Amino acid sequence: MNRLKTADQSLPKTQPETERQYLPEEVQLALSAFDAALNSIVSMTAIRDANGKVVDFRLQTANRAVEQSLFRKPEDIIGTRLLETFPGNVESGLFAVYVRVLETGQSERLIQYYSDKNGLEAWFEVSAAQLSPDGVVVTFMNITAPRRAEHQLAHQAELLHAILDNAQAALSLHTSIRDEHGHICDFRTVLANPQCIAMWGDLAESILAKPFSEVATPTQKIDDFPKYVRVVETGEPDTTEFPIDDQWWIRITTKAGDGVVIANLNVTENRRYQQQLEAANRELKRSNENLQSFAYIASHDLQEPLRKIQSFGDMLNDRYSAKLGPEGGELISRMQAAASRMSLLIRDLLDYSRISSQRNAFRSFALAKLLDDIIEDLWHPIQESKARIELAELPELIGDRLQLRQLFQNLLSNALKFYRTDASGLPIPPLIRVSSRLMTPEELPKELAKDLRLDRAYWTIDVTDNGIGFEQHYAEQIFQVFQRLHTRQQFSGTGIGLAVVKKVVEQHDGAIRAQSRPGEGTTFTVYLPA
């Protein structure tokens, strides 16, 4: 370096290889070493004003590594003024450093962020030293990539700490302690978040300072230590539920390097909810058993007195009709009709109650075949009313076949029963059409959101008739138990049939809607999951 100063009062400029062969050997060696340096090196000469104040520097030399740091070739910057080529030196404070080094003779080293109007933006590690009374040599490295990585790591660490500190779970990290044979003999706590420290309570300080063997209870040494070892050696996590005082916790242990991360989550509220749910299920089971007992009583004990009333009524009518006269006979007829209605009502109530308490496994079946069976069962009312039933192409359904048979039989029976009459009072033969289509989630009406999941497809089955119809504002009321729009004198029935239909649909996670106008018929639309 001293030899170079004596020769030129500066570091050598970079020169083309063809010119170097004419230089002295010692200069060629110096140039080769200068260009081979990993660090970027420049030398500068001070430019002073009339008062001797340093106002700028002229770049005298630059090695090849400069291009890696400044993205400018050495030959493009040699001979230029520092503040013209790299104007950000003033704002970054680097210019003041170079002036201070020149004036004091004391070398300085620093890490500094730099940016300028030419688009250069980077972090630099800089070392500046006096080269001569007017000369400064600057050695530097562009450390932007590692600096950004360092900032990223710091940001990630800060984010991780924020997550740990605000996590609901009590989290802790424990590293393995191994003996001379490489076997795990203990664990040491490395990290614990505030929730974990709160969970440990008075033991937290000891757990953080001492190995597991010194703070664990005998039970923990027997039960927990082998689990932790197994997790480290196999990589398979372990989940354990355990009580602390009056609280319940779930512990999830997973492998982390040569140790374990333990997450403890307080599940006391979930546990209490589960206990309440189990108690409610037991109560529901008892209720279902009581309902089944009621069903047995209704189907046997309640029907038996009705059968006796009907039987005695028949006997009275056969043996004493002459003595009772017309008025007595009418009373017996009305009694018999009331007993029949009561018997039918009990049967319908039984059907309604059984929907929830008795359900078969869901299976796939053809709706068309089911409707064929129902039409066969309804042969007599179909023939009597001269009805025509038209079936379009129908899908395969999945559900309780018996319950769905009840559903569609009730809808067809309704369509047969509520027929219209012409001007002369003669019945108009019922025309019933059953059709279906697959409805995608996008096609489902938004108003069905309270009854259906709008993220799945549904079969819609329409049962349309040409009957008497009804006012649309009754469309919800007709599905309630015992709700009737007509008197028993007009149309027979108990008012339970459509309530059964609605309950079956709900049991299948579906829905039902009715569209109608008086004198124009009704369409019942059943939605069932596809």
Side-chain angles (χ1 to χ4, degrees):
M1 181 69 74
N2 290 336
R3 187 176 297 169
L4 289 172
K5 283 179 62 179
T6 304
D8 194 25
Q9 292 296 312
S10 69
L11 291 172
K13 298 178 181 180
T14 59
Q15 296 194 20
E17 293 295 330
T18 55
E19 297 180 10
R20 288 190 182 185
Q21 59 182 323
Y22 301 109
L23 297 174
E25 184 179 351
E26 63 177 9
V27 176
Q28 290 185 42
L29 290 172
L31 283 171
S32 298
F34 182 57
D35 277 343
L38 295 176
N39 290 349
S40 303
I41 305 172
V42 297
S43 67
M44 307 181 295
T45 301
I47 299 174
R48 300 179 184 272
D49 62 11
N51 299 318
K53 179 181 177 182
V54 178
V55 293
D56 206 341
F57 288 91
R58 188 171 300 282
L59 293 159
Q60 293 291 106
T61 62
N63 70 344
R64 290 295 174 193
V66 164
E67 189 172 354
Q68 301 298 320
S69 297
L70 301 177
F71 313 107
R72 301 280 294 274
K73 292 182 179 180
E75 54 266 30
D76 292 339
I77 65 173
I78 291 173
T80 65
R81 294 173 67 127
L82 175 68
L83 298 184
E84 289 179 355
T85 308
F86 301 106
N89 273 278
V90 175
E91 289 80 1
S92 65
L94 289 171
F95 180 77
V97 171
Y98 303 150
V99 172
R100 191 163 59 247
V101 167
L102 193 64
E103 292 176 347
T104 65
Q106 299 293 319
S107 301
E108 293 193 26
R109 186 171 183 174
L110 70 158
I111 293 175
Q112 183 62 48
Y113 174 75
Y114 174 93
S115 66
D116 63 30
K117 62 183 180 182
N118 297 327
L120 179 59
E121 183 180 358
W123 281 89
F124 293 98
E125 184 175 354
V126 181
S127 176
Q130 189 183 43
L131 185 62
S132 67
D134 270 342
V136 176
V137 61
V138 181
T139 304
F140 57 96
M141 290 182 65
N142 188 324
I143 59 169
T144 304
R147 187 76 175 185
R148 284 177 178 165
E150 180 183 336
H151 276 245
Q152 184 67 21
L153 286 174
H155 175 70
Q156 289 177 349
E158 184 179 329
L159 184 62
L160 179 60
H161 277 291
I163 292 172
L164 290 175
D165 290 347
N166 292 283
Q168 291 184 346
L171 302 169
S172 58
L173 174 63
H174 309 265
T175 187
S176 303
I177 299 175
R178 297 181 180 270
D179 59 21
E180 63 274 13
H181 304 294
H183 300 140
I184 299 175
C185 59
D186 214 334
F187 286 92
R188 186 179 300 281
T189 303
V190 177
L191 177 69
N193 70 345
Q195 290 79 358
C196 193
I197 292 172
M199 184 187 76
W200 289 337
D202 296 338
L203 296 174
E205 187 175 345
S206 297
I207 294 173
L208 289 169
K210 298 177 181 179
F212 177 83
S213 60
E214 295 183 24
V215 294
T217 64
T219 302
Q220 289 172 330
K221 291 177 182 178
I222 295 171
D223 295 340
D224 294 341
F225 181 75
K227 291 179 185 177
Y228 303 157
V229 173
R230 186 168 61 253
V231 169
V232 175
E233 292 179 345
T234 66
E236 296 179 2
D238 177 82
T239 302
T240 306
E241 189 171 350
F242 62 95
I244 299 180
D245 298 328
D246 61 341
Q247 296 183 328
W248 277 91
W249 295 77
I250 284 182
R251 172 177 296 154
I252 303 172
T253 307
T254 56
K255 183 176 181 179
D258 192 35
V260 293
V261 169
I262 299 176
N264 293 290
L265 189 62
N266 191 325
V267 294
T268 305
E269 288 302 317
N270 289 351
R271 182 86 174 189
R272 288 171 182 164
Y273 176 75
Q274 182 183 353
Q275 291 171 342
Q276 292 171 358
L277 192 61
E278 289 172 353
N281 283 338
R282 288 193 296 269
E283 184 62 31
L284 183 60
K285 185 178 179 181
R286 282 195 295 269
S287 177
N288 282 338
E289 289 172 352
N290 292 338
L291 186 60
Q292 289 175 2
S293 297
F294 163 76
Y296 178 83
I297 293 170
S299 61
H300 293 82
D301 297 0
L302 291 181
Q303 292 280 20
E304 183 59 29
L306 287 173
R307 282 193 290 269
K308 287 184 177 179
I309 291 172
Q310 290 173 313
S311 178
F312 290 149
D314 290 339
M315 291 171 64
L316 281 172
N317 196 40
D318 292 341
R319 297 180 184 180
Y320 304 104
S321 57
K323 294 182 180 180
L324 292 174
E327 185 178 353
E330 182 184 353
L331 289 174
I332 292 175
S333 296
R334 293 176 66 180
M335 179 186 72
Q336 295 286 71
S340 296
R341 285 198 303 275
M342 185 65 177
S343 179
L344 178 61
L345 179 61
I346 290 172
R347 287 199 300 273
D348 286 350
L349 280 172
L350 279 173
D351 290 341
Y352 185 75
S353 67
R354 285 186 183 126
I355 292 171
S356 297
S357 61
Q358 298 179 11
R359 191 176 80 175
N360 297 323
F362 279 20
R363 302 184 187 281
S364 176
F365 63 90
L367 178 57
K369 177 64 170 64
L370 178 71
L371 290 173
D372 285 341
D373 294 344
I374 294 172
I375 291 170
E376 182 64 27
D377 288 347
L378 296 175
W379 180 85
H380 182 70
I382 290 172
Q383 294 298 315
E384 193 174 52
S385 63
K386 300 179 181 178
R388 190 167 85 251
I389 299 177
E390 298 176 354
L391 303 182
E393 186 174 348
L394 298 171
E396 291 270 332
L397 295 180
I398 295 177
D400 183 331
R401 192 178 190 278
L402 187 61
Q403 287 190 4
L404 290 173
R405 180 191 178 103
Q406 199 170 11
L407 181 155
F408 288 106
Q409 183 160 332
N410 284 3
L411 290 180
L412 292 179
S413 296
N414 259 27
L416 292 171
K417 178 168 53 175
F418 295 103
Y419 58 82
R420 284 188 293 130
T421 57
D422 60 20
S424 62
L426 294 174
I428 297 174
L431 173 60
I432 306 168
R433 293 187 179 93
V434 183
S435 59
S436 71
R437 76 182 185 97
L438 183 64
M439 189 169 282
T440 64
E442 295 76 20
E443 297 174 308
L444 288 170
K446 301 303 179 188
E447 60 268 19
L448 290 174
K450 62 187 178 77
D451 297 320
L452 301 178
R453 286 173 45 187
L454 299 185
D455 60 346
R456 65 188 301 180
Y458 287 83
W459 285 112
T460 62
I461 298 103
D462 291 331
V463 179
T464 303
D465 63 53
N466 63 340
I468 59 173
F470 56 83
E471 296 288 351
Q472 186 60 34
H473 60 266
Y474 292 120
E476 293 290 333
Q477 179 181 329
I478 60 173
F479 294 108
Q480 298 174 18
V481 180
F482 301 131
Q483 292 297 317
R484 299 173 54 93
L485 303 184
H486 309 280
T487 65
R488 281 193 297 271
Q489 285 72 28
Q490 291 175 294
F491 296 97
S492 63
T494 59
I496 297 177
L498 289 179
V500 169
V501 167
K502 183 175 177 62
K503 199 163 188 180
V504 170
V505 166
E506 290 171 348
Q507 286 283 93
H508 286 74
D509 297 325
I512 185 167
R513 294 291 185 271
Q515 289 289 328
S516 186
R517 292 182 66 178
E520 297 184 12
T522 302
T523 296
F524 287 97
T525 301
V526 178
Y527 297 86
L528 293 172

